[in-house]
Amino acid sequence: MKLFVPPEIDAYVEAHTRARPPLFEELRARTYAEVPSPQMQVGRVEGTLLKLLCALTGARRVLEIGTFTGYSALCMAEALPDDGEVVTCDLDPASTTLAQSFFDRSEHGRKIRIVLGDARTTLRALDDRPFDVAFLDADKTGYPEYYELVLPRLRPGGLLVADNVLWSGEVLAPETDDARALVRFNARVQVDERVENVMLPVRDGIMLARKR
């Protein structure tokens, strides 16, 4: 992942973002030691941003597409009330088994429900209860389709957060399927009258879209 600020600034930003509890540092270490492509895990800055966004929106129900090892789900669960819920979708039983082992050790882990399988199938099978926040961080070629499936499930005023929307800058000259899909996704959100949106150059790029 390409950083869009100098390493010194990136380090300064992290140093001035509230540290996560020790369990998160252990989860990060285990992910980097045991899981392929560990850089897919969100870190302190993005994880704390997700927690604050859930808190600011008063979220009670959160949808996540792309669990990986559970760092982001656990961050968001911290912000939810005792009866809140994070429904997180993933295909990989290995990474989600690691995630569940850390959920089981957290007081907030009981708020998280992992659903294994293709997220498109999962989304179509969910009940009609709306979500307050949705976090999109799965296969990039699926972003355009995920967007159209997720947005109707957000309540009015709900927030969609999409990660990796700059794809290390490749969106400026897309040459891969991932980059081209992200360009389509970004363009779709930009012209969609159903949402208000802003793109942030945080980490690898984050799109925020608030449903009208």
Side-chain angles (χ1 to χ4, degrees), residues 85-123:
E85 179 184 40
V86 177
V87 177
T88 181
C89 309
D90 207 288
L91 283 169
D92 186 355
S95 63
T96 53
T97 295
L98 178 59
Q100 187 64 60
S101 72
F102 278 82
F103 298 163
D104 291 342
R105 294 170 56 193
S106 167
E107 63 179 307
H108 302 287
R110 58 185 171 76
K111 306 173 192 174
I112 305 170
R113 175 164 64 95
I114 297 172
V115 183
L116 278 176
D118 189 295
R120 299 166 184 83
T121 302
T122 299
L123 287 167

Side-chain angles (χ1 to χ4, degrees), residues 91-174:
L91 283 169
D92 186 355
S95 63
T96 53
T97 295
L98 178 59
Q100 187 64 60
S101 72
F102 278 82
F103 298 163
D104 291 342
R105 294 170 56 193
S106 167
E107 63 179 307
H108 302 287
R110 58 185 171 76
K111 306 173 192 174
I112 305 170
R113 175 164 64 95
I114 297 172
V115 183
L116 278 176
D118 189 295
R120 299 166 184 83
T121 302
T122 299
L123 287 167
R124 293 186 177 103
L126 288 172
D127 60 45
D128 292 334
R129 289 180 297 156
F131 291 92
D132 304 297
V133 172
F135 179 48
L136 183 52
D137 190 19
D139 58 296
K140 309 312 164 190
T141 56
Y143 269 35
E145 186 176 3
Y146 292 142
Y147 177 69
E148 296 299 340
L149 289 170
V150 168
L151 193 63
R153 297 189 171 277
L154 279 177
R155 64 165 172 83
L159 183 67
L160 184 141
V161 184
D163 198 13
N164 304 116
V165 294
L166 292 176
W167 207 236
S168 297
E170 290 183 35
V171 290
L172 298 180

